[in-house]
Amino acid sequence: MIKDKYDIIVIGGGHAGIEAAYASSKIGCDTLLLTMNLNNIGKPSCNPSIGGTAKGHLVKEIDALGGAMGVLADKAGIHFKMLNKSKGPAVWSPRAQIDKDLYPKFARNFLENVPNLTLAEGQAKEIIIKDSKVVGIVLNSDERIYAKAIVFCSGTFLNGLMFTGETISSGGRFGEDPSLNISDLLKSYGVEIGRLKTGTPPRIFADSIDYSKVEIQTGDDNPLPFSNKTDKVENKIVCYQSSTNQRTHDILKTGFDKSPMFKGVIQGVGPRYCPSIEDKIARFAERDSHKIVLEPEGLSTNSVYVNGYSTSLPESVQIEGLKTIPGLENIRLKRAGYAIEYDYFPSYQLKFTLESKAVEGLFFAGQLNGSSGYEEAAGQGLIAGINAALKVKDKGDFSLSRSEAYIGVMIDDLVNKSSDEPYRLFTSLAEYRLLLRQDNADIRLSKYAFDLGLIDEATFDRVNKLKDETDSLTKYISENKISAEIANNYLSSVGESLVLGSTDLASLLKRGAVTLEDLLVLKESNNVFSARAKEQVQINSKYEGYIKRQLKEVEYFSENEKKRIPNNFDYDKVQSLSAEARQKLMKIKPSSLGQASRIPGVSAADLSIIAVFLK
Ligand SMILES: Cc1cc2nc3c(=O)[nH]c(=O)nc-3n(C[C@H](O)[C@H](O)[C@H](O)COP(=O)(O)OP(=O)(O)OC[C@H]3O[C@@H](n4cnc5c(N)ncnc54)[C@H](O)[C@@H]3O)c2cc1C
């Protein structure tokens, strides 16, 4: 039964909507999650995977803040891998293949059991706004539902158009209707709208692959879960790798004259870091091969996702090209790849809470903010859901800074640098990435989650225990020594130079090849401390110099964040600002000198002028 009034309505049951609805319900708001099809809640529109570089960090942060994505990915996960293990710990990133059918099933089931949350199937055709303030929605059935705040998470559905070669159809994604009307309505309230594009590869039948010609990709030996609430995860499938060749490229080129992208039929810009195969062939003409990964889409489906072959070329060209790839000579196509073009709202129009600057009480989260990716959407959904709930309860704002979380980096980038191409998070975008590791997300964020009511006391206690244990272990290694004889036996076995006398563990641990585990074994105290405490201490010790430097940089960063710029600051009065800086500052209205410094086009000279004026 749907009521006619809620505290909060979340429109859209994608990854953003799930987190928004879950967070606002947990904060105690009577929440309605309205979505077009309840069986498609959290459906992976494209790649059946969660996590990856920087995205895995986001999932861990969402989990630390009490969100759902980590738990769902662990449950639906079928192949787990920690990426970038050969590099430093700042960039280790967990990733999992998920079962594309189980994930939405688990997501729906999970949300159905959340107190204060109602799930409903339907389409919002209008957002009711009075005096620039949100009041409610109108459904396609003309039913009106009222709310104090709305979180809008419509993904790729707004005026969505799908393209395969010269075939164009209207839809939010394969097999689903688009969402019409709302963009135009918001435009009439002064909200700027743009068009973006993304695409997906074909799916092929698993039994049509010749597995003797492809390379196996296995998951990790002892895979780790995303969520602190999951004890154990298991690898249930393997993936396979192959590659395109010059023949593939020659065949695909024959379809270029029918490509909606190359013919300019698609106007929206696509994700630069997730290019289509035709884009790769055109942009990197010198390369005669591109990697293809064959990813099974689940345990009870015979569908395989052809990662690396995203395309909107005509279906016949897609098939012909696929058949030139080793192992795919006899494949049968399950579904052709396609591109989708949709409306988005450039995100400079948002506050850090993800509330619209133009319409009070209207929060935006996910792909419609110009981002791309499930994890980016989920991170935004969580922040929007929290802030919508805080607004309803008149409890202020919640945001995370760039020095605290990847979620903070992402939202800061979206608000300050909203661009005309889909935004994707990378570890290189985080200035303080040695502090924002995936392994310490709960240590960084649990206090916020607990204060907001997003995690329970037992979870918070576990994190505090870990912090205490890490402190005791840090103390233990600085206070305990090993005799020169025992130390040297070990040091020579790992190829390190010898010591002259008994040496404390902390000093020995600084050596490249020395591990904390080995040192604790030598002290017969390896079973005293947990694996997580050991991991924290080892990373803190090995990277101590860099970590200290980043902490110093954060101090400087925080100083500038504290220098507030009033919302009514009149940039027109500051004569000596450059024209570009004035225009950008007036558009974004930064709330601090720190934020102003991150707006492209605002120079160091502009900043000093503002600083003087503020004084
Ligand atoms: C073809 C395709 C290819 C993609 N390729 C990639 C890729 O290569 N890489 C990548 O990172 N991401 C890709 N994506 C994007 C990825 O799907 C999104 O990043 C992610 O799903 C965004 O989550 P979201 O919650 O914002 O929206 P979605 O997951 O799209 O969910 C939107 C939800 O809103 C609901 N909805 C919409 N309008 C209304 C309405 N008016 N009333 C009620 N409910 C409504 C829909 O039913 C849906 O449940 C692709 C998406 C598509 C469709």
Side-chain angles (χ1 to χ4, degrees), residues 138-393:
V138 184
L139 300 184
N140 265 1
S141 57
D142 287 329
E143 217 175 318
R144 285 170 174 252
I145 309 175
Y146 295 93
K148 296 172 193 156
I150 288 175
V151 188
F152 194 31
C153 314
S154 60
T156 52
F157 284 65
L158 285 179
N159 292 327
L161 281 180
M162 299 183 289
F163 302 82
T164 300
E166 291 174 312
T167 311
I168 304 175
S169 55
S170 174
R173 67 184 161 206
F174 182 77
E176 293 182 62
D177 288 337
S179 174
L180 308 170
N181 312 324
I182 295 186
S183 299
D184 286 342
L185 177 106
L186 290 177
K187 204 171 171 180
S188 69
Y189 284 92
V191 178
E192 188 193 325
I193 294 168
R195 288 293 269 176
L196 288 176
K197 167 253 162 190
T198 188
T200 195
R203 312 312 196 252
I204 56 177
F205 282 100
D207 61 359
S208 64
I209 298 170
D210 180 349
Y211 293 97
S212 68
K213 293 188 182 161
V214 291
E215 201 181 303
I216 286 189
Q217 277 194 346
T218 53
D220 285 342
D221 283 343
N222 294 305
L224 294 173
F226 285 107
S227 174
N228 278 346
K229 295 168 209 82
T230 310
D231 293 328
K232 203 171 159 27
V233 289
E234 250 179 87
N235 288 317
K236 296 176 182 153
I237 55 142
V238 290
C239 299
Y240 305 90
Q241 193 178 313
S242 190
S243 53
T244 62
N245 51 58
Q246 196 54 54
R247 255 187 73 222
T248 324
H249 300 181
D250 291 342
I251 288 171
L252 294 180
K253 278 182 198 161
T254 64
F256 280 13
D257 62 336
K258 294 196 175 69
S259 156
M261 259 169 38
F262 295 149
K263 282 172 63 186
V265 180
I266 295 179
Q267 308 270 308
V269 183
R272 183 197 310 220
Y273 303 103
C274 219
S276 62
I277 185 72
E278 52 267 39
D279 232 2
K280 288 191 260 189
I281 293 169
R283 269 170 38 195
F284 311 107
E286 72 288 356
R287 290 186 55 181
D288 57 10
S289 176
H290 293 283
K291 188 167 114 177
I292 297 293
V293 183
L294 304 172
E295 298 173 340
E297 291 209 288
L299 298 175
S300 46
T301 169
N302 53 7
S303 178
V304 174
Y305 177 93
V306 187
N307 197 343
Y309 198 88
S310 170
T311 179
S312 56
L313 290 172
E315 185 173 319
S316 57
V317 181
Q318 293 186 25
I319 301 174
E320 221 190 312
L322 280 171
K323 288 188 170 181
T324 62
I325 296 173
L328 307 190
E329 294 84 352
N330 296 309
I331 56 101
R332 297 190 318 281
L333 188 75
K334 188 150 201 247
R335 201 181 85 194
Y338 67 95
I340 182 157
E341 194 186 41
Y342 54 93
D343 290 347
Y344 82 106
F345 306 107
S347 42
Y348 73 85
Q349 304 175 97
L350 300 175
K351 301 176 185 171
F352 282 113
T353 55
L354 297 183
E355 185 180 10
S356 157
K357 290 176 187 166
V359 182
E360 193 186 338
L362 179 59
F363 293 78
F364 289 88
Q367 191 96 0
L368 86 173
N369 281 339
S371 65
S372 126
Y374 313 141
E375 306 76 5
E376 284 86 345
Q380 291 168 54
L382 182 69
I383 296 297
I386 292 172
N387 279 297
L390 293 178
K391 186 172 181 91
V392 165
K393 291 191 168 279

